[in-house]
Amino acid sequence: MTISIFSTSKLSIFGLCVFALNVTANPTNPDFNALWLEVDSFRKEAGIQGHEWRDTAKILLGARKEFKVGNNEKAFVLLSKARAESIAALAQAAREKKSWERRVIK
Amino acid sequence: MKKLVFLITGLTVALYGTILFAEPEAEQAAFKSYFHNKFPDVDKPDFINGVYALDSNAREQWMEIEEFPPYEIAIDEGEALFNNTRFTDGKSYSHCFGTGQHLRKKYPYFDKERTQVVTMELAINDCREKHGAKPLKYKIGDLAKISAYLSYHSRGDVIDVIVSGPAAIQAYNKGKEYYYTKRGQLNFACVDCHVSSAGKRLRTEILSPSLGHVSHFPVYRLKWGSIGTLHRRFSGCNSQVRAKSQPGQSEDYRNLEFFLSYMSNDLEFNGPGVRR
């Protein structure tokens, strides 16, 4: 899967809205698993681009654990944190593709 | 007519060649002179000593540690591993590496057939696998010890990495991109800490210059309490900025080592080393 910066940011805004709606509309039974998979796919894509952050995978695992034991609120807090990290990592990847070269010592 | 086409093709290839080669060479010169200008009081060959080339207090403590260097055991253990290991086919490391003397300076090199960078650590595991043995862990343990032994017997040899041909230049460029790219939650690139901030303090540590970074590995770190390879250090620096680190000998790390080693050409190997 390759997402361009444009579609990534569009996707993320869309995703964020859906996410917020889900959480507020029905806090006890939003589709956690689908959202989790989506965030994990963002994390993976950041990884493919060499920009995954250190703790994102751990946070995602934590989110799943909390959900399993019924701590839904905590699970969603972690999920949204992982989501923010993945999206920021993807944005960093896109930004760096253009800016790293400026730092080369000439 | 044929001759003319030949001549033009030849000239184009030659010109293309010089353009391709010119860049790494010019970049190496710029990299070195940046550090030479930033630290005019440091003797050029002394950059292999990292932070101890910059700070006299730290240097004094380091010299004291060097009187009974904690990496000595690793050299001895590495020697025993190198000489006494028999693979299931009856062969030993010497079938791949001869006596093991003056080996370090052959690495890293760009292997044109495999179209990838080969480091000394990769070659050690290649040797094992060729003779039916399981690969060793890349960042710690026996492989780091063998590397310590081999590095010790290459002390004083000169870093001489060759970047030639389009595929090698591509690997060099990838290593360069890795070096200059910001990563992790803290959004830092190698260059941010080891170039512009070299000599400055980060918490309890003084930041070393990237020039000479590869010369003295593997390193016994007091913080680790053991010996570790260069790629262990790379992953530590990735983690520090909260970026996901990579496995030892990943393609990125080998390209990075290739680039960094080329930047340090003409400096001496002085591994293994000891650091805080």
Side-chain angles (χ1 to χ4, degrees):
Chain A
M1 178 174 75
T2 43
I3 310 174
S4 77
I5 165 70
F6 188 60
S7 65
T8 305
S9 50
K10 262 209 299 205
L11 216 83
S12 58
I13 290 163
F14 175 71
L16 225 57
C17 295
V18 172
F19 188 60
L21 275 174
N22 267 333
V23 177
T24 46
N26 191 355
T28 47
N29 190 27
D31 191 352
F32 178 85
N33 289 325
L35 287 170
W36 191 94
L37 283 172
E38 189 194 35
V39 174
D40 198 46
S41 75
F42 288 171
R43 176 192 66 82
K44 282 188 185 138
E45 178 57 25
I48 289 165
Q49 299 194 27
H51 277 269
E52 185 176 339
W53 291 1
R54 188 186 63 189
D55 302 330
T56 316
K58 247 182 281 171
I59 297 168
L60 270 169
L61 287 180
R64 198 158 60 186
K65 250 190 218 155
E66 295 294 346
F67 190 73
K68 264 194 189 144
V69 297
N71 288 339
N72 291 15
E73 208 168 306
K74 184 86 192 286
F76 276 104
V77 168
L78 289 174
L79 192 56
S80 83
K81 190 173 174 198
R83 181 186 191 94
E85 284 202 1
S86 304
I87 287 167
L90 281 166
Q92 182 184 51
R95 204 167 57 233
E96 284 303 298
K97 272 190 195 91
K98 284 181 240 142
S99 43
W100 72 267
E101 213 154 8
R102 282 202 296 267
R103 299 184 200 110
V104 176
I105 302 171
K106 298 272 181 197
Chain B
M1 184 61 194
K2 242 186 180 170
K3 263 188 190 162
L4 190 67
V5 172
F6 237 67
L7 189 71
I8 291 172
T9 320
L11 275 176
T12 318
V13 169
L15 192 70
Y16 188 56
T18 30
I19 291 169
L20 277 179
F21 294 124
E23 202 170 273
E25 231 171 82
E27 283 168 356
Q28 184 198 64
F31 196 83
K32 287 183 179 221
S33 58
Y34 176 91
F35 288 107
H36 295 158
N37 293 333
K38 189 177 170 87
F39 302 107
D41 296 339
V42 173
D43 278 343
K44 287 175 189 172
D46 205 26
F47 277 101
I48 59 177
N49 294 319
V51 66
Y52 310 126
L54 311 182
D55 185 87
S56 57
N57 277 337
R59 191 183 184 96
E60 234 167 76
Q61 288 170 19
W62 169 64
M63 302 270 263
E64 263 169 41
I65 296 170
E66 277 282 353
E67 280 175 31
F68 301 99
Y71 51 72
E72 229 162 35
I73 300 168
I75 297 175
D76 292 343
E77 290 178 355
E79 177 171 18
L81 286 163
F82 186 85
N83 290 323
N84 303 338
T85 302
R86 287 287 167 281
F87 302 125
T88 44
D89 62 0
K91 301 276 164 49
S92 65
Y93 283 112
S94 63
H95 280 85
C96 307
F97 302 116
T99 60
Q101 309 287 309
H102 303 289
L103 204 67
R104 184 68 187 87
K105 66 180 175 196
K106 289 188 187 158
Y107 303 95
Y109 71 92
F110 188 82
D111 186 324
K112 289 200 166 122
E113 264 146 47
R114 295 164 73 181
T115 57
Q116 57 172 314
V117 171
V118 177
T119 63
M120 190 168 78
E121 285 76 16
L122 190 80
I124 292 170
N125 265 348
D126 282 350
C127 175
R128 295 178 60 82
E129 290 188 79
K130 201 170 123 196
H131 294 291
K134 279 197 187 134
L136 298 169
K137 281 188 185 147
Y138 275 124
K139 290 179 185 167
I140 54 169
D142 285 354
L143 187 129
K145 290 172 187 171
I146 295 169
S147 170
Y149 166 68
L150 295 173
S151 298
Y152 183 69
H153 287 283
S154 291
R155 278 189 172 183
D157 290 347
V158 167
I159 304 174
D160 183 21
V161 171
I162 296 161
V163 181
S164 121
I169 290 180
Q170 202 181 13
Y172 165 91
N173 280 332
K174 282 185 187 163
K176 179 172 84 179
E177 178 171 351
Y178 195 92
Y179 183 82
Y180 286 106
T181 294
K182 287 184 191 288
R183 281 198 174 69
Q185 192 169 17
L186 302 187
N187 202 37
F188 272 104
C190 314
V191 63
D192 295 327
C193 282
H194 293 296
V195 176
S196 20
S197 302
K200 288 191 189 141
R201 209 170 265 279
L202 182 78
R203 290 187 219 111
T204 59
E205 293 181 291
I206 298 167
L207 289 161
S208 55
S210 275
L211 181 60
H213 253 176
V214 297
S215 71
H216 51 279
F217 276 84
V219 154
Y220 186 100
R221 256 191 105 187
L222 303 178
K223 186 182 152 192
W224 294 335
S226 67
I227 195 136
T229 58
L230 180 62
H231 293 196
R232 183 179 181 186
R233 184 77 241 203
F234 287 169
S235 54
C237 281
N238 280 154
S239 288
Q240 248 187 108
V241 300
R242 299 192 199 146
K244 188 185 175 194
S245 61
Q246 299 201 10
Q249 302 301 319
S250 69
E251 192 187 341
D252 280 339
Y253 281 180
R254 277 181 289 128
N255 289 336
L256 177 62
E257 180 174 342
F258 190 55
F259 166 76
L260 274 178
S261 302
Y262 182 75
M263 289 295 111
S264 289
N265 263 1
D266 303 324
L267 287 171
E268 281 183 8
F269 283 109
N270 59 336
V274 57
R275 293 289 184 273
R276 270 183 60 200

